[in-house]
């Protein structure tokens, strides 16, 4: 039996690019149907993430023109990760497989063919991995690759150069639903679910239209969220730093005692000031990192909904 596919596409202020890429997604899903790789009940699900432009109006118009197009809209902007999650949870009981992909046309949609083939060969998760970053500037390439290396160093399980372009079976999604945390980092969470997985490699293109919604500041924020949501290694690093400072402090005390006994003590403020500044800096950084974890705990304890769907273009049932 041919699997039904839902392509999940998060959208935030995409009125410039959506009218262009919608045809690409439609042609691809029809192509996959003709090849006999997927069933005729397959859909393209747009997730409007509280856009301030005409994105939702465009999605509504598309759903009227072709039954392949459907859409849901969040009650407000909740961020890319929550938008993808909302789409996946909406699709999990209505299809056999999902493929999440951004709306900007940078990810090669032709890689979907290989993804579906890998699923038919037994893979439950297929990661879309960028083989090259030719279109990125040196700074963008350096920071992006450093981002993945930092996550790995901190103990987060991620696939190098994989973002959120992936195929996931409904079987995996039903297990993934049990992950109830509010602070989510999908590319680090799906490897935790397990099941057979593989990767498909493709070359990333330039954005077709519109502007990127992931500047450096958001990349840094995403990296920090990923680390603090999925790893306690920063806490252990703080513990190691504390032990090191304590050891240096003990050595300093011994040195002071020896200099006093030998009569070589010199009254000075420079060394004292340097020690105070060093220890104070370490303490402030430590308190900041610990505070970040406490903030995460605070958000988890409140257990607020990760997304709220306010509108749909199709029957809720």
């Amino acid at each position: 039996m041919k699997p039904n596919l839902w392509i999940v596409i998060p959208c935030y202020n995409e009125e410039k690019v959506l009218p262009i890429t919608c045809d690409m997604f439609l042609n691809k899903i029809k192509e996959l149907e003709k090849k006999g790789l997927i069933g005729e009940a397959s859909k393209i699900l747009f997730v409007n993430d509280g856009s301030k432009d005409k994105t939702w109006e465009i999605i509504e118009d598309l759903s009227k023109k072709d039954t392949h197009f459907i859409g849901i809209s969040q009650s407000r902007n909740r961020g890319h990760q929550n938008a993808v999650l909302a789409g996946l949870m909406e699709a999990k009981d209505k299809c056999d497989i999902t493929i999440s992909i951004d709306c900007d046309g940078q990810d090669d949609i032709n890689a979907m063919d290989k993804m579906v083939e890998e699923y038919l060969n037994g893979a439950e998760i297929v990661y879309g991995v960028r083989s090259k970053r030719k279109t990125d500037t040196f700074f963008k390439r350096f920071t992006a690759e450093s981002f993945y290396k930092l996550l790995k160093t901190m103990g987060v399980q991620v696939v190098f150069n994989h973002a959120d372009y992936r195929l996931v079976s409904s079987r995996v999604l039903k297990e993934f639903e049990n992950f109830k945390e509010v602070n989510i980092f999908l590319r680090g969470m799906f490897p935790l679910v397990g099941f057979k997985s593989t990767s498909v490699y493709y070359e990333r293109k330039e954005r077709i239209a519109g502007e990127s919604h992931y500047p450096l500041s958001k990349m840094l924020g995403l990296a920090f969220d990923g680390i603090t949501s999925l790893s306690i290694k920063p806490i252990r690093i703080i513990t190691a730093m504390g032990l090191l400072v304590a050891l240096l402090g003990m050595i300093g005390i011994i040195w002071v005692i020896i200099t006093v006994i030998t009569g070589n003590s010199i009254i000075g403020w420079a060394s004292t000031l340097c020690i105070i500044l060093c220890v104070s800096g370490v303490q402030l950084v430590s308190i900041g990192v610990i505070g970040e974890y406490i903030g995460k705990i605070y958000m988890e304890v409140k257990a607020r909904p990760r997304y709220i769907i306010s509108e749909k273009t199709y029957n809720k049932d």
Side-chain angles (χ1 to χ4, degrees):
M1 186 176 176
K2 300 173 185 176
N4 287 319
L5 164 68
W6 276 35
I7 302 175
V8 177
I9 307 169
C11 303
Y12 177 67
N13 292 345
E14 302 289 6
E15 66 176 2
K16 293 182 180 179
V17 72
L18 186 55
I20 301 172
T21 56
C22 67
D23 289 333
M24 295 168 51
F25 295 125
L26 181 59
N27 292 335
K28 173 50 63 177
I29 207 166
K30 287 181 176 180
E31 180 186 327
L32 291 171
E33 288 176 2
K34 287 182 179 179
K35 288 183 176 180
L37 293 175
I38 61 175
E40 294 181 357
S42 298
K43 301 288 183 181
I44 301 168
L45 173 63
F46 294 108
V47 183
N48 177 42
D49 187 23
S51 299
K52 298 177 182 178
D53 60 7
K54 296 181 179 179
T55 296
W56 180 240
E57 288 83 348
I58 295 172
I59 293 172
E60 289 182 311
D61 290 339
L62 289 172
S63 66
K64 294 173 183 177
K65 293 177 182 178
D66 195 295
T67 56
H68 284 96
F69 292 122
I70 56 175
I72 59 175
S73 182
Q74 296 207 84
S75 59
R76 68 175 182 85
N77 177 255
R78 297 298 298 270
H80 180 271
Q81 298 291 284
N82 292 84
V84 175
L85 178 67
L88 294 177
M89 292 299 101
E90 181 72 16
K92 68 179 175 61
D93 296 320
K94 302 179 180 69
C95 64
D96 301 298
I97 51 176
T98 63
I99 294 179
S100 56
I101 185 172
D102 287 342
C103 185
D104 54 22
Q106 287 188 278
D107 295 318
D108 185 7
I109 61 171
N110 292 320
M112 290 186 185
D113 299 62
K114 183 64 175 174
M115 286 182 171
V116 177
E117 289 173 0
E118 292 291 349
Y119 167 75
L120 295 174
N121 289 330
E124 298 284 350
I125 304 176
V126 184
Y127 300 103
V129 179
R130 301 164 192 172
S131 58
K132 298 178 182 178
R133 288 181 174 269
K134 291 181 178 179
T135 57
D136 291 346
T137 62
F138 170 78
F139 180 75
K140 172 66 175 178
R141 183 167 59 253
F142 174 77
T143 54
E145 292 181 350
S146 298
F147 165 76
Y148 290 102
K149 291 175 181 177
L150 175 62
L151 291 174
K152 279 277 190 182
T153 302
M154 289 296 165
V156 181
Q157 295 184 39
V158 289
V159 177
F160 187 75
N161 269 339
H162 162 70
D164 286 295
Y165 185 22
R166 72 179 74 83
L167 178 148
V168 183
S169 71
S170 59
R171 180 187 179 193
V172 172
L173 289 177
K174 287 173 183 176
E175 297 299 330
F176 187 77
E177 189 179 18
N178 295 322
F179 286 62
K180 301 296 184 181
E181 55 256 51
V182 174
N183 303 284
I184 58 173
F185 182 67
L186 297 178
R187 66 190 75 174
M189 292 171 68
F190 274 108
L192 299 177
V193 184
F195 294 98
K196 183 179 179 181
S197 64
T198 188
S199 298
V200 168
Y201 296 86
Y202 67 94
E203 288 191 26
R204 187 168 172 80
K205 305 173 184 177
E206 292 184 1
R207 186 181 177 91
I208 292 177
E211 298 178 354
S212 173
H213 302 304
Y214 259 98
L216 178 61
S217 59
K218 280 196 174 183
M219 284 291 292
L220 292 173
L222 185 65
F224 202 63
D225 283 343
I227 292 167
T228 54
S229 297
L230 296 168
S231 172
I232 61 169
K233 200 164 186 178
I235 295 290
R236 291 176 178 171
I237 291 174
I238 286 175
T239 302
M241 288 172 60
L243 291 172
L244 178 61
V245 171
L247 177 62
L248 292 175
M250 290 297 296
I251 295 172
I253 291 171
I254 294 171
W255 173 74
V256 169
I257 292 172
I258 293 173
T259 54
V260 170
I261 292 174
T262 57
N264 295 321
S265 59
I266 300 174
I267 299 174
W269 59 270
S271 58
T272 303
L273 186 61
C274 289
I275 293 172
I276 291 174
L277 290 175
C278 178
V279 174
S280 299
V282 170
Q283 287 177 332
L284 288 174
V285 172
S286 302
I287 291 170
V289 174
I290 293 171
E292 182 69 22
Y293 277 95
I294 293 173
K296 288 285 193 298
I297 295 170
Y298 175 64
M299 295 300 293
E300 294 293 341
V301 169
K302 289 191 292 186
R304 289 176 177 172
R306 295 174 291 184
Y307 59 88
I308 298 174
I309 298 173
S310 59
E311 296 179 72
K312 296 185 180 184
T313 63
Y314 60 99
N315 192 302
K316 293 183 179 181
D317 298 327

